Amino acid sequence: MIQTQLASLVRSAMERAQSSGDLPAFPIPPFQMERPARKEHGDWSTSIALEVAKQAKMKPRDVADAIVKALGADPAEHIAGVEVAGPGFINIRLSHHWLTGLVRDVEQAGEAWGRSSATAPEKIQVEFVSANPTGPMHLGHGRWAAVGDTLARLLEASGNTVEREFYVNDFGVQMLKFGQSVAARYLELLGQKVEIPEGGYQGRYVIDIAKEILLEVGDKYRNVPDDERVAFMRVEGQRRMLLNQRLTLQRFGVEFDVWFSERSLHDEGAVERVVELLKQLGHLYEKDGALWLRTTDFGDDKDRVIVRSTDRMAAYLAADLAYFMDKLRRGFERLIYLVGADHHGWKREMQAAIRALGEDPEHCEFLIGQFVHLTRGGESVKMSKRTGEAVTFDELLDEVGVDAARYHFLRVSMDQSLNFDLEEVVRQSQENPVYYVQYAHARISSIVKHAREQGVTIAPLENVALEELQHESELDLLRKLGELPEAVEVGARRREPHRMTRYAEELASLFHSFYRDCRVVTDDEALTQARLHLVTAAQIGLRNTLGLLGVSAPESM
RNA sequence: GCCCUCGUAGCUCAGGGGAUAGAGCGACUGCCUCCGGAGCAGUAGGCCGCAGGUUCGAAUCCUGUCGAGGGCACCA
């Protein structure tokens, strides 16, 4: 990429300055070119002169001058100007020819514009959402669905191989309670008076599920032992909830490669095996009737139970570790867990336990996202699945639509808790900046259509005089368009998908300004052709960015 | 008590060592004989929670402090 080329140009200029004596000898630290905040400061800049001034025992500006002088001895073709500014910044301006050439780069890359091949591509698994199959998804799940999916898209666009995985927590006490709740509703529908168990699921959807099951199997499970009925209801209820979640996610544009069952780990003995392994490694001990893992030896603040005393069943940590081993076995080089803020203690526990297994937690990333706070007119609304007060994610999508919801979730950093006021949702959705971006895309389609109606056909690139693009608004648009690969790379590397919405808005904004300043279809044939190609390229940039966000790019609105 | 995240414009949030701190929404002023006004141009609005420190340079890093949310289970 251009910035690494520029950085090495500057570096070799410094080396030349050192051998000619304009700069004293000192080790040159690694540095990168930066994007100046203001365009008057050029396309790229570096503060290296400020950083090394002390070592050089010179004034920062004198260091900068020496570098620029040496740089001038080796002029690169795509550099139009270099200047020293402020306290000693070196600002570099790229040539007009290089800039307009971006139109060609973008058009030739097409769908691939913005993608890059990683210097060290990895096989990465991203695990996210992983809701219990005990109820419909709520808003919190929606946030992680959007964030996780776009993160996965960014990692793919950066040259990695990515798998999306959903861990189905279909084992344990919660599932049992769920089965009991469905069974109770089932019996209730058959006219029996039945209490929902303590800590059971009260939501309306449990009744709906019981009704569906009743329709399908009739009263076959009325007079069977409780255990048998509950087991059946648990399995049937889970199957339906899982389907429900899958359909919601599909509607939201999120497709998982693997739905991994926690129960399967128990059934296949993987959990037992990992406990046995830990035992052989000598990290387990008995206390109070339970089996403990000595995680304190590996950085945790307390030891953790791995086999419960109450029923001698494996605790959840054992399953998590068995799952982890399974992921390793499948050959992933990097595991990303996207979880809610309530899991932050679990992160430390997992890291310690992974070390206990003799594995390196460096290859595991635990991304902790903050919660969605649901309110209605400023009043807090609980999102409890058990009481059923929650507004489901599906209901939200009914109200605001997929594009607005996805964009809304992706506009803020996952470190930030997100307020969601239901009364304002509809209003906010109409004013959602997603439409601003989509509008720019649709407008370009409209321009191209207009050109066609005027009898203008778009000429092949090799016959187009891109140097016709001279207006500052045209060049600003081009510069931003040229930033997409960098934006994708940074978003992926820093695991910050929300950056892409900002980029989308900046690109759309510069397009709209261009539209104000420059008419595309005019009597000037050469200029018309150049601009048609410019807007085509801009549309590619917008479409690819929206694609990363999982938002549609409409031809008309 | 200990741990994690966050305090930036009226509201929702970007920016996370560099030059004059930004966007959307809201408020106010203008702009359609001409490719889509879901748009454009502009005005007002900020001691970047507070106090110290590191640095040539701090909204950004460190310490403390106050406030908000979350965690500290043989639950997932």
Side-chain angles (χ1 to χ4, degrees):
Chain A
M1 272 200 259
I2 186 81
Q3 74 253 45
T4 52
Q5 287 175 40
L6 293 175
S8 61
L9 276 175
V10 172
R11 173 174 290 273
S12 54
M14 288 175 81
E15 285 161 358
R16 278 200 305 282
Q18 286 181 325
S19 49
S20 72
D22 287 338
L23 285 178
F26 57 83
I28 300 169
F31 66 94
Q32 291 192 326
M33 302 302 293
E34 298 156 28
R35 289 278 187 190
R38 317 181 65 80
K39 68 175 181 183
E40 304 90 85
H41 296 140
D43 295 303
W44 291 96
S45 83
T46 173
S47 57
I48 186 67
L50 292 151
E51 286 163 39
V52 301
K54 198 173 224 176
Q55 297 184 64
K57 299 194 176 66
M58 291 169 68
K59 289 181 191 160
R61 279 200 72 110
D62 293 342
V63 177
D65 285 334
I67 296 171
V68 169
K69 184 183 161 202
L71 208 49
D74 175 27
E77 54 172 335
H78 42 264
I79 292 180
V82 181
E83 56 197 40
V84 177
F89 293 103
I90 298 170
N91 295 334
I92 297 179
R93 201 172 302 276
L94 295 170
S95 72
H96 181 258
H97 181 260
W98 185 86
L99 206 50
T100 56
L102 280 171
V103 172
R104 190 173 299 110
D105 297 343
V106 173
E107 281 198 37
Q108 284 170 356
E111 276 182 24
W113 179 248
R115 306 182 75 89
S116 54
S117 40
T119 44
E122 292 179 306
K123 186 177 174 191
I124 304 177
Q125 187 215 53
V126 186
E127 184 207 320
F128 58 111
V129 184
S130 296
N132 287 6
T134 55
M137 302 212 319
H138 56 66
L139 262 48
H141 296 128
R143 183 178 193 180
W144 308 135
V147 169
D149 185 54
T150 289
L151 175 61
R153 290 178 198 226
L154 286 172
L155 292 168
E156 280 167 345
S158 304
N160 302 288
T161 305
V162 179
E163 276 194 28
R164 296 162 174 77
E165 187 147 322
F166 186 118
Y167 184 48
V168 183
N169 296 123
D170 53 359
F171 188 85
V173 177
Q174 291 309 319
M175 281 317 297
L176 184 63
K177 298 266 187 214
F178 178 63
Q180 289 166 343
S181 304
V182 177
R185 293 299 191 188
Y186 172 83
L187 291 177
E188 192 175 74
L189 290 168
L190 287 168
Q192 294 187 29
K193 184 102 177 100
V194 184
E195 292 286 314
I196 300 296
E198 180 75 24
Y201 292 79
Q202 307 278 351
R204 267 204 67 82
Y205 67 90
V206 180
I207 303 175
D208 296 335
I209 284 180
K211 271 184 196 158
E212 283 178 34
I213 294 177
L214 179 61
L215 275 175
E216 202 168 292
V217 303
D219 64 356
K220 191 172 151 192
Y221 286 88
R222 184 205 296 263
N223 297 313
V224 300
D226 284 353
D227 283 357
E228 189 183 331
R229 184 183 316 108
V230 167
F232 176 79
M233 296 299 162
R234 176 175 61 68
V235 172
E236 266 305 299
Q238 174 197 318
R239 196 174 61 77
R240 287 177 155 77
M241 278 337 305
L242 209 53
L243 181 64
N244 171 294
Q245 292 178 352
R246 192 187 299 240
L247 290 173
T248 303
L249 286 162
Q250 213 164 53
R251 176 185 183 194
F252 198 48
V254 181
E255 293 277 357
F256 283 91
D257 299 296
V258 176
W259 294 70
F260 196 97
S261 157
E262 177 186 0
R263 185 169 291 271
S264 73
L265 291 167
H266 291 87
D267 291 348
E268 288 158 17
V271 177
E272 264 177 73
R273 282 197 300 278
V274 82
V275 172
E276 188 55 35
L277 174 59
L278 287 166
K279 194 178 288 177
Q280 280 169 14
L281 291 167
H283 301 315
L284 301 185
Y285 64 94
E286 287 280 347
K287 194 182 98 186
D288 304 333
L291 194 57
W292 295 70
L293 173 60
R294 208 183 307 274
T295 46
T296 46
D297 282 356
F298 302 93
D300 202 358
D301 48 9
K302 63 175 71 166
D303 289 340
R304 307 288 174 169
V305 165
I306 201 139
V307 176
R308 297 195 291 251
S309 63
T310 45
D311 50 8
R312 290 307 288 186
M313 294 284 279
Y316 70 91
L317 177 60
D320 284 343
L321 290 178
Y323 184 31
F324 168 78
M325 292 302 271
D326 190 87
K327 290 181 181 187
L328 284 192
R329 187 182 54 73
R330 284 185 274 159
F332 294 109
E333 295 157 290
R334 183 162 296 279
L335 302 174
I336 296 179
Y337 293 81
L338 178 58
V339 294
D342 54 338
H343 278 64
H344 112 262
W346 173 80
K347 169 183 172 178
R348 170 177 292 191
E349 176 180 339
M350 272 298 276
Q351 285 173 329
I354 287 167
R355 282 190 207 101
L357 283 167
E359 300 294 339
D360 186 359
E362 281 300 299
H363 303 295
C364 280
E365 288 176 35
F366 299 90
L367 305 183
I368 311 281
Q370 298 299 310
F371 286 154
V372 177
H373 293 294
L374 186 60
T375 56
R376 192 192 304 271
E379 294 287 305
S380 187
V381 178
K382 295 224 174 74
M383 288 197 283
S384 164
K385 240 186 288 186
R386 301 194 190 148
T387 59
E389 269 186 73
V391 172
T392 68
F393 186 42
D394 251 321
E395 287 162 354
L396 174 81
L397 294 181
D398 290 342
E399 276 198 77
V400 308
V402 168
D403 286 343
R406 250 192 110 123
Y407 199 90
H408 186 82
F409 283 131
L410 285 167
R411 207 160 177 263
V412 304
S413 150
M414 66 177 111
D415 289 336
Q416 188 76 246
S417 63
L418 187 69
N419 289 316
F420 220 122
D421 193 290
L422 290 167
E423 273 182 14
E424 291 180 35
V425 158
V426 176
R427 190 175 64 77
Q428 279 179 355
S429 80
Q430 283 161 357
E431 290 149 4
N432 194 307
V434 72
Y435 301 121
Y436 179 79
V437 180
Q438 289 181 318
Y439 182 63
H441 183 272
R443 212 176 202 184
I444 292 171
S445 291
S446 172
I447 292 170
V448 173
K449 184 169 157 233
H450 172 80
R452 205 163 41 235
E453 284 165 2
Q454 299 296 307
V456 179
T457 47
I458 300 184
L461 257 176
E462 57 268 26
N463 300 336
V464 174
L466 292 174
E467 63 274 13
E468 291 286 328
L469 301 172
Q470 293 284 350
H471 196 284
E472 203 49 36
S473 296
E474 296 174 313
L475 303 181
D476 287 345
L477 177 57
L478 268 175
R479 274 187 271 264
K480 185 56 69 178
L481 197 50
E483 285 177 26
L484 180 57
E486 183 194 345
V488 171
E489 192 275 325
V490 172
R493 179 162 44 82
R494 298 176 58 157
R495 321 304 194 217
E496 291 176 337
H498 71 276
R499 287 171 175 274
M500 299 316 295
T501 58
R502 303 290 162 171
Y503 175 81
E505 286 162 48
E506 287 163 10
L507 185 58
S509 169
L510 288 168
F511 167 74
H512 286 308
S513 298
F514 156 80
Y515 180 84
R516 171 204 59 203
D517 292 335
C518 303
R519 204 183 156 75
V520 175
V521 183
T522 62
D523 295 338
D524 184 335
E525 280 181 41
L527 186 59
T528 297
Q529 285 298 334
R531 286 183 173 166
L532 277 171
H533 280 277
L534 172 62
V535 298
T536 299
Q539 191 177 37
I540 289 169
L542 287 165
R543 186 160 51 233
N544 292 356
T545 307
L546 287 170
L548 288 164
L549 296 167
V551 169
S552 67
E555 301 290 321
S556 66
M557 298 172 65

